[in-house]
Amino acid sequence: MEKYNINHLRELEAESIYVIREVAAQFENPVLLFSGGKDSIVMLHLARKAFWPAKIPFPIMHIDTGHNFEETIQFRDDLVKELGIDLVVKLVQDSIDKGRVAEEKGPNPSRNRAQTTTLLDAIEEEKFDCAMGGGRRDEEKARAKERFFSHRDEFGQWDPKNQRPELWNIFNGRKNVGEHFRVFPISNWTEMDVWQYIYLESIKIPNLYFTHEREVVLRDGAWLAKSPFVSLKEGESWQKKIVRFRTIGDMTCTGAVMSEANKLEDIIDEVAAARETERGGRADDKRSEAAMEDRKKEGYF
Amino acid sequence: MSNQDTKQYNEVTEGYLNMELLRFTTAGSVDDGKSTLIGRLLYDSKAIFQDQMEAVERASKKSGEEEVNLALLTDGLRAEREQGITIDVAYRYFATPKRKFIIADTPGHIQYTRNMVTGASTANVALILIDARKGVIEQTLRHSYIASLLQIPHIIICVNKMDLVDYDQKTYDTIQKQFEAVSSKLDVQDVRFVPISALKGDNVVDRSKKMDWYEGPTLMYLLENIHIGSDNNFNEGRFPVQYVVRPQTKEYHDYRAYAGRVAGGIFKVGDAVVALPSGFESKIKQIVEFENELTQAFPPQSVSLVLEDEIDISRGDLIVKKNSIPKSDQDIDMMVCWFNEKPLQIGGKYAVKHTTSDARCMVKEVVSKVDINTLEKDFEDKSINMNDIARIKIRTTKALHYDSYRNNRITGSLIIIDESTNETIGAGMII
């Protein structure tokens, strides 16, 4: 007898494509949030599949902190050209210049929190009624409580204690004027699933994910890359190391890992053996036990 | 499996591609060992990372607890940690070489029935914990009823805390008999029993050395091997149309495909199909999955269908196989679980979402209310409040094309939405 089943990766893929199609059908002006990281790259790949052979029917938006790795921006621009999709870029610097948000003080000013202001302003300006993000429930414990379709009030806030029940595969995207939704199509994927899928589908990713030599400094347990945005504190110095990045965020808060993995197979082996979560290298999550929950309530990604 | 999964990969990936996805739900209250059991499954399958464990150790110490409190791994919100309770559904992930697991971890108190129902809606398996010292209690009935109402295909009864009853076989046998007496009243097909101690690890991942009298499999073995291949409906062809793909490019000038996720049956190229509500007939010309053309599609695949004829089909329509037409009706008889503080109003008007279709409805009648602690039906009390489960009759503004929930969890389910607040206020299972 013929077997009618698909493996778990194809099932996750089918679920995500279903969610992305629901977004295109239920909202008038959705946007896909793109950071240049592997999760948003996978989302974009899934969106291509969802509407093929038609073009992706929504633009992508990058909230640019100005603290990006150069490679990320290059990768983004190449991909946009290749796919022929619209790219909206919103600069955190503009929000700072307009006085909407203040730059953090200190030797290591992070624009992580400031992004939220830029993102919410952009959603309002561009009249986006839904923003898709690459958040995964396995990343962090506040994210574990997130819905696929997450309702945001007119201030863009998340109310975790008052979320809409989400049953079966029926998604309720109804809202009032001025409110919007955040949708997380790859909610059920783990870090390993993402890597296996990139490998399976031969998806292009930035070289930052592979091993290379780079000058880094050890701060609060994370290896930060040398950049104009990170200045040395007393007693610190730049050291040349063989590293790669497990996640890609701002240069001010993304820690590198010591690794010689130069192909996807090696990365997969590394992920399989890892004893630290991928966000373990992220200084932005280490600020308090509920750092992510607090940022999410304000309207963070 | 899709065509493109046939190339050769390294060993890790080869293994990974053979894994199935199993979703299970757990319901329980603070002291029945649910968190300990989940913590044990995650810990023993190495799904807990060092930095997560360290964070939990720090938090346990801070709240003055002697042992590491594994519940802190699952309670994600500040309010949950402060109050020491689980409020919402939390999703957890772990994998063994055989399967990837998604746990929908839900609170077990009666005031969280709606969360249990939510977690149960997508599950293949329900884990129900029974404290060996207490036996079958009200909560066991409640959880079992929800599992049967939501038609979770498999139930595993974990008789927990066996260490506290000296691993006594008689205690276990009595509980099994107690439960079997209860489950005969429920619509459940596949029930398994395992005596465990989540705290000590007996029969969770490793076989217990203290219960030689038990010859069945461990909990992990069951989770890895329960046959879930037939949990989907493969009989009646059902394809709710989500989105119409029209590239409008030179290359694909007149191309029109109907995108959706197969909700039932097996669709093959050449199959005769009917579009509902129009009733127009056609044949499947192509089944498209990105750059591949497939010869067939089945649940839960997301594909697009290209038909031989140009007929008018849009989102919300249902493409079915000609040999298996579903029921179509405006009068719907169903079980409902109520989610909102505002009680259900007889005569009230609500919005309804059924598959990809939107409609409005009016509540015609409350037939009976279920006391989920005793499983008794109450035909007198018509007040349906938050967390209540009842049988009701509604009339919709247009015909729904549906199957009974028992036959198809996708075409047999719907949600009820408050039109003023847009909140999801009820879950319906069509009878």
Side-chain angles (χ1 to χ4, degrees):
Chain A
M1 208 182 92
E2 213 169 338
K3 256 178 94 185
Y4 296 108
N5 65 355
I6 52 178
N7 68 45
H8 82 285
L9 219 44
R10 292 291 171 210
E11 187 165 343
L12 290 174
E13 178 191 51
E15 176 179 84
S16 302
I17 287 174
Y18 176 83
V19 173
I20 293 169
R21 286 170 172 167
E22 278 303 291
V23 167
Q26 291 197 33
F27 297 98
E28 279 171 30
N29 194 21
V31 66
L32 188 147
L33 299 173
F34 187 82
S35 69
K38 65 180 190 310
D39 297 325
S40 57
I41 293 167
V42 163
M43 264 212 305
L44 198 53
H45 183 79
L46 292 164
R48 274 182 78 197
K49 287 197 155 193
F51 304 104
W52 196 91
K55 224 179 73 169
I56 297 173
F58 39 75
I60 67 170
M61 178 161 75
H62 184 209
I63 301 301
D64 186 344
T65 57
H67 289 175
N68 291 293
F69 289 91
E70 238 173 77
E71 293 92 327
T72 307
I73 301 296
Q74 188 61 48
F75 184 87
R76 176 195 79 190
D77 293 343
D78 291 347
L79 193 60
V80 164
K81 211 187 267 172
E82 189 192 319
L83 299 183
I85 46 175
D86 295 325
L87 168 70
V88 179
V89 179
K90 296 285 174 178
L91 305 172
V92 172
Q93 188 62 51
D94 286 350
S95 305
I96 293 171
D97 293 346
K98 279 188 223 154
R100 296 277 299 123
V101 65
E103 180 95 74
E104 275 190 12
K105 302 279 182 286
N108 193 17
S110 164
R111 287 183 169 180
N112 192 289
R113 199 151 194 157
Q115 291 180 93
T116 302
T117 305
T118 312
L119 171 64
L120 292 176
D121 286 355
I123 287 171
E124 215 173 303
E125 275 165 40
E126 304 286 336
K127 299 197 166 47
F128 290 128
D129 54 358
C130 172
M132 274 176 277
R136 305 190 325 259
R137 288 171 178 158
D138 84 315
E139 272 182 276
E140 204 280 333
K141 57 191 172 216
R143 286 210 196 276
K145 306 264 160 167
E146 186 61 272
R147 303 290 188 263
F148 276 96
F149 271 47
S150 180
H151 177 255
R152 303 301 157 108
D153 64 12
E154 67 265 49
F155 299 102
Q157 296 181 102
W158 182 53
D159 182 0
K161 282 206 272 183
N162 199 18
Q163 299 192 78
R164 291 181 183 174
E166 205 164 73
L167 296 102
W168 301 293
N169 56 353
I170 310 179
F171 298 109
N172 174 6
R174 290 174 60 122
K175 58 179 174 11
N176 291 317
V177 179
E179 300 174 345
H180 76 276
F181 269 80
R182 298 290 175 80
V183 173
F184 304 98
I186 60 167
S187 287
N188 277 333
W189 298 50
T190 60
E191 183 189 14
M192 185 58 137
D193 295 329
V194 169
W195 283 115
Q196 292 283 1
Y197 188 70
I198 288 169
Y199 181 43
L200 183 66
E201 295 276 303
S202 312
I203 301 171
K204 259 189 272 170
I205 51 168
N207 288 329
L208 293 164
Y209 284 113
F210 299 102
T211 187
H212 55 280
E213 191 181 67
R214 184 180 286 271
E215 283 188 271
V216 289
V217 62
L218 185 64
R219 184 176 296 168
D220 303 328
W223 291 97
L224 298 180
K226 185 174 181 178
S227 76
F229 323 115
V230 178
S231 39
L232 292 178
K233 290 184 196 172
E234 224 184 283
E236 289 180 339
S237 64
W238 297 114
Q239 304 172 50
K240 269 197 184 165
K241 297 277 180 193
I242 303 294
V243 298
R244 68 173 201 90
F245 293 90
R246 254 176 104 180
T247 68
I248 296 182
D250 274 7
M251 297 190 78
T252 54
C253 64
T254 308
V257 291
M258 300 299 134
S259 167
E260 296 188 358
N262 64 3
K263 50 184 198 296
L264 284 168
E265 289 93 318
D266 299 344
I267 292 179
I268 287 167
D269 288 343
E270 223 176 80
V271 171
R275 297 308 300 141
E276 269 229 333
T277 57
E278 57 181 328
R279 296 194 78 94
R282 293 282 284 253
D284 45 337
D285 290 345
K286 290 198 171 166
R287 297 194 169 192
S288 91
E289 173 87 358
M292 178 65 92
E293 182 179 343
D294 293 343
R295 282 180 295 154
K296 279 181 69 65
K297 280 182 185 163
E298 289 166 6
Y300 187 71
F301 296 93
Chain B
M1 245 177 15
S2 311
N3 312 347
Q4 67 259 47
D5 293 352
T6 47
K7 43 181 177 175
Q8 285 296 303
Y9 298 97
N10 70 349
E11 208 177 312
V12 175
T13 300
E14 279 296 332
Y16 209 73
L17 290 179
N18 286 323
M19 282 160 64
E20 282 179 315
L21 182 63
L22 182 135
R23 298 171 201 251
F24 69 92
T25 178
T26 57
S29 50
V30 188
D31 49 2
D32 64 8
K34 178 196 62 155
S35 299
T36 317
L37 178 62
I38 293 177
R40 164 85 43 201
L41 286 169
L42 295 177
Y43 193 76
D44 287 358
S45 62
K46 302 194 170 46
I48 296 174
F49 293 101
Q50 205 173 325
D51 51 331
Q52 286 174 315
M53 200 60 198
E54 280 165 10
V56 168
E57 279 166 11
R58 268 201 307 277
S60 303
K61 223 177 250 170
K62 211 169 129 192
S63 56
E65 289 172 65
E66 272 176 33
E67 284 188 55
V68 175
N69 183 356
L70 289 171
L72 295 171
L73 280 167
T74 48
D75 294 337
L77 302 173
R78 193 195 296 268
E80 292 176 324
R81 285 191 299 277
E82 282 168 4
Q83 298 169 40
I85 53 163
T86 312
I87 296 169
D88 201 353
V89 186
Y91 295 90
R92 301 284 144 196
Y93 303 83
F94 71 98
T96 67
K98 282 201 168 155
R99 280 182 177 163
K100 166 177 166 139
F101 298 93
I102 301 179
I103 313 175
D105 179 22
T106 65
H109 290 294
I110 190 152
Q111 68 264 37
Y112 298 111
T113 299
R114 62 179 205 153
N115 306 75
M116 286 183 257
V117 167
T118 301
S121 72
T122 50
N124 309 90
V125 174
L127 287 197
I128 295 174
L129 276 101
I130 298 180
D131 187 328
R133 296 168 304 174
K134 295 178 187 159
V136 173
I137 55 171
E138 236 179 49
Q139 177 166 282
T140 322
L141 284 185
R142 195 156 68 227
H143 297 166
S144 313
Y145 179 70
I146 289 170
S148 89
L149 180 71
L150 273 291
Q151 287 286 304
I152 300 179
H154 316 277
I155 296 178
I156 303 176
I157 305 289
C158 300
V159 180
N160 191 26
K161 306 198 182 180
M162 286 302 291
D163 54 314
L164 299 182
V165 296
D166 295 325
Y167 300 101
D168 176 40
Q169 180 178 7
K170 249 203 222 139
T171 310
Y172 172 76
D173 290 342
T174 310
I175 291 172
Q176 184 165 350
K177 280 200 195 84
Q178 266 179 349
F179 187 85
E180 277 163 353
V182 169
S183 65
S184 61
K185 287 192 242 168
L186 297 168
D187 185 12
V188 290
Q189 282 120 55
D190 179 21
V191 184
R192 321 283 180 104
F193 296 84
V194 194
I196 64 166
S197 163
L199 187 71
K200 310 276 182 191
D202 294 282
N203 287 337
V204 179
V205 175
D206 301 315
R207 176 157 280 284
S208 172
K209 292 192 180 83
K210 309 229 169 69
M211 289 182 274
D212 290 337
W213 48 265
Y214 174 73
E215 290 171 349
T218 61
L219 174 60
M220 184 62 100
Y221 183 90
L222 277 176
L223 288 173
E224 284 188 316
N225 293 285
I226 271 188
H227 177 69
I228 54 169
S230 340
D231 289 1
N232 287 310
N233 176 319
F234 293 109
N235 301 317
E236 290 93 25
R238 302 284 181 261
F239 189 82
V241 175
Q242 260 191 299
Y243 189 88
V244 182
V245 178
R246 296 183 59 199
Q248 290 170 308
T249 55
K250 263 189 200 150
E251 198 188 345
Y252 294 97
H253 191 66
D254 291 321
Y255 184 94
R256 196 178 245 274
Y258 306 104
R261 197 171 185 194
V262 184
I266 297 146
F267 286 88
K268 294 190 166 132
V269 173
D271 279 351
V273 293
V274 177
L276 297 171
S278 71
F280 290 133
E281 294 181 16
S282 186
K283 276 189 176 146
I284 297 176
K285 189 176 165 188
Q286 286 178 321
I287 300 173
V288 181
E289 191 193 45
F290 195 38
E291 288 156 338
N292 306 305
E293 274 190 34
L294 308 180
T295 53
Q296 59 182 23
F298 47 86
Q301 286 182 303
S302 282
V303 296
S304 336
L305 302 181
V306 179
L307 302 184
E308 295 278 3
D309 310 277
E310 253 183 60
I311 52 179
D312 181 24
I313 297 177
S314 51
R315 174 176 166 85
D317 290 358
L318 183 68
I319 296 175
V320 302
K321 295 229 294 197
K322 205 186 157 187
N323 59 9
S324 60
I325 305 293
K327 288 174 230 167
S328 295
D329 209 330
Q330 280 178 269
D331 290 302
I332 307 290
D333 187 356
M334 63 183 197
M335 298 302 293
V336 71
C337 176
W338 201 249
F339 289 162
N340 208 262
E341 282 113 351
K342 272 194 267 177
L344 176 140
Q345 279 185 307
I346 298 173
K349 295 191 177 91
Y350 302 100
V352 160
K353 261 184 190 292
H354 170 249
T355 68
T356 57
S357 162
D358 289 289
R360 297 180 70 218
C361 78
M362 189 204 274
V363 177
K364 305 291 280 186
E365 186 188 344
V366 172
V367 180
S368 58
K369 185 166 150 179
V370 181
D371 182 332
I372 61 169
N373 291 325
T374 59
L375 308 184
E376 300 290 325
K377 281 181 204 147
D378 185 340
F379 292 91
E380 303 302 317
D381 187 359
K382 306 286 184 191
S383 62
I384 306 303
N385 298 298
M386 185 151 84
N387 295 312
D388 280 349
I389 290 169
R391 179 168 179 171
I392 64 168
K393 290 185 174 169
I394 61 168
R395 183 167 173 84
T396 52
T397 45
K398 59 177 191 189
L400 303 186
H401 311 290
Y402 68 93
D403 297 286
S404 71
Y405 185 75
R406 209 175 181 289
N407 274 331
N408 192 316
R409 284 168 100 185
I410 302 168
T411 53
S413 56
L414 57 83
I415 60 169
I416 297 174
I417 297 165
D418 183 323
E419 292 184 301
S420 61
T421 63
N422 295 319
E423 285 173 297
T424 302
I425 54 176
M429 287 133 285
I430 305 174
I431 292 169

